[in-house]
Amino acid sequence: MAWLVARGNPGVVGAGVVARDHEASVLGAMSVGLGVMKNYIAEISGIIIGMEWALQWGYTKVCICSDSLSAVQDFTTSNLPWFVRQRWREVSSNYEVIRFDHTCREANYSADKMAKRGCILPNEEGRHYLGRPDFLNSIELPNVSYFRFK
């Protein structure tokens, strides 16, 4: 799962990733400070950074869950901004399967917590955790419906 928290648009942003296996067990988590940028660019950057991070574990099949419908659509249609296309080509060429799923914000709360931690980190500084960090008190459960109320 990839997530972005921004304070303004443009504003100071952080990205958060929670890596899980096929049984939804947490393999690791990451927070990254992205500096000042627009939300959309930060969403795309967070996904690519998360995929680069997953390569360190040798995974070749990934499912990216994001609450950014525009980012999910742009990745699946290869309609990315010109300045990230080369980086995307390089990272995606290392994977056999890449699946994108759109999820609602309420079902992405663990990655949100990681992204909030990224907001207070300096630009391009990251914190990586193997396994489930102690401060992630709850994790989204598979096959559970999460609802949005207005």
Side-chain angles (χ1 to χ4, degrees):
M1 294 184 192
W3 185 261
L4 155 85
V5 171
R7 302 196 176 168
N9 190 21
V12 175
V13 295
V17 176
V18 176
R20 300 167 76 166
D21 65 13
H22 65 285
E23 295 177 342
S25 298
V26 176
L27 302 171
M30 174 182 60
S31 297
V32 178
L34 297 176
V36 176
M37 61 178 60
K38 292 220 174 233
N39 293 357
Y40 172 74
I41 301 305
E43 292 282 0
I44 290 173
S45 299
I47 290 170
I48 293 173
I49 289 167
M51 290 183 66
E52 291 168 341
W53 182 54
L55 284 175
Q56 297 174 14
W57 289 325
Y59 293 106
T60 60
K61 299 175 183 176
V62 294
C63 176
I64 307 295
C65 297
S66 175
D67 72 330
S68 172
L69 182 58
S70 58
V72 168
Q73 288 174 337
D74 289 351
F75 275 104
T76 56
T77 62
S78 298
N79 187 29
L80 296 169
W82 65 270
F83 51 88
V84 295
R85 286 184 195 150
Q86 183 59 36
R87 189 171 176 189
W88 169 243
R89 278 189 215 106
E90 290 171 7
V91 72
S92 64
S93 69
N94 294 290
Y95 288 93
E96 292 175 33
V97 176
I98 302 170
R99 188 177 100 201
F100 286 91
D101 286 341
H102 178 254
T103 186
C104 64
R105 179 175 297 199
E106 290 76 10
N108 214 7
Y109 54 83
S110 58
D112 176 48
K113 189 164 193 170
M114 297 304 298
K116 287 178 182 173
R117 289 176 160 260
C119 277
I120 60 173
L121 294 173
N123 186 23
E124 297 185 14
E125 184 175 315
R127 298 277 191 271
H128 307 269
Y129 305 88
L130 291 177
R132 181 176 170 175
D134 293 337
F135 56 82
L136 279 183
N137 303 327
S138 59
I139 299 287
E140 304 85 1
L141 300 173
N143 303 318
V144 172
S145 296
Y146 294 89
F147 298 97
R148 177 178 288 184
F149 298 101
K150 290 191 177 199

